[in-house]
Amino acid sequence: MKINTIFAEKIYALQLPEFRENEFRRALYLWNDVEYLKKFYDENKNIILQNPYLEIKNVYDFIEQVFDEAEHLEEEIEHHYENDSLAELFEYLFNEISPQNQFYKKIKQKLLRLYGIKLEDEYLVTGGAIKITKKMQDHPDTTEQLEILKQTKTFIDSENITDLDSLLDFMNE
């Protein structure tokens, strides 16, 4: 497991051994890949079209929504980073498995989510997903993200990564 810098001394991203990109870049890449989005839509069409909250009527609406949200998400992260207000952007992730876990965080759009872990004032992005169900456990993609969050938390605890100094020490090993 590797950790890469996204925004110096504030936002970092997990890099899983099976991928060349870190999870932040990988999520953005997928959210801008038309073929990936068409396939996701086709595989989840019934869920997407039956969700009145999403207001999506066809694959074109879906792709446009994801493109717009991905662009907005990047702009929001940069804005909050520059204004030292990341705590306003990263919300607590509450779920049935771990309602009290203060470390799990998310950045939320209507469809898109970035998931991460808060250290002190730093955030470690562990992945991202297109969230089309109310509960994370109701879709394989978000269930996988929840598992990655838990595994990453266990890993950083085992490596005693608790703050910026210990994170940088780990990255420099």
Side-chain angles (χ1 to χ4, degrees):
M1 204 176 279
K2 289 182 177 178
I3 298 174
N4 303 130
T5 303
I6 302 299
F7 290 97
E9 298 187 4
K10 289 293 179 184
I11 303 179
Y12 298 84
L14 179 67
Q15 184 175 346
L16 298 171
E18 61 266 30
F19 299 111
R20 290 181 337 128
E21 297 286 333
N22 64 55
E23 290 301 292
F24 177 77
R25 292 281 167 231
R26 197 167 81 79
L28 291 175
Y29 173 79
L30 290 174
W31 296 338
N32 284 285
D33 181 339
V34 172
E35 291 306 314
Y36 170 81
L37 295 176
K38 282 181 182 176
K39 182 179 178 197
F40 184 94
Y41 179 85
D42 288 342
E43 292 172 356
N44 297 283
K45 184 177 183 177
N46 291 337
I47 297 169
I48 294 168
L49 294 176
Q50 291 175 8
N51 187 333
Y53 171 73
L54 298 179
E55 300 172 4
I56 292 173
K57 295 174 181 42
N58 55 49
V59 67
Y60 304 106
D61 289 349
F62 175 74
I63 291 170
E64 183 178 351
Q65 180 77 28
V66 172
F67 280 178
D68 290 347
E69 287 189 22
E71 182 179 352
H72 185 257
L73 188 121
E74 282 188 277
E75 291 169 357
E76 282 289 299
I77 291 170
E78 191 167 327
H79 169 78
H80 284 279
Y81 170 76
E82 289 172 355
N83 291 294
D84 200 27
S85 60
L86 289 171
E88 295 172 18
L89 181 62
F90 282 86
E91 301 175 13
Y92 283 111
L93 173 64
F94 295 103
N95 60 68
E96 297 77 30
I97 294 174
S98 182
Q100 302 300 321
N101 194 317
Q102 62 186 346
F103 301 105
Y104 295 167
K105 297 287 196 161
K106 67 182 173 190
I107 299 176
K108 173 176 137 176
Q109 301 284 308
K110 195 171 205 176
L111 276 172
L112 303 183
R113 302 290 190 276
L114 278 177
Y115 299 103
I117 296 174
K118 185 177 191 313
L119 299 174
E120 282 186 322
D121 294 325
E122 303 78 37
Y123 297 88
L124 173 60
V125 174
T126 60
I130 300 172
K131 188 166 186 289
I132 56 173
T133 57
K134 184 172 174 97
K135 296 179 183 177
M136 289 182 79
Q137 296 84 349
D138 292 343
H139 193 273
D141 290 356
T142 47
T143 300
E144 178 184 30
Q145 291 303 314
L146 188 54
E147 281 305 309
I148 292 170
L149 268 169
K150 288 191 236 173
Q151 290 169 6
T152 304
K153 180 69 173 113
T154 300
F155 175 78
I156 65 173
D157 286 348
S158 73
E159 294 290 328
N160 295 315
I161 300 171
T162 58
D163 58 14
L164 181 60
D165 290 337
S166 56
L167 176 63
L168 294 175
D169 287 345
F170 172 81
M171 291 172 63
N172 291 324
E173 286 181 358

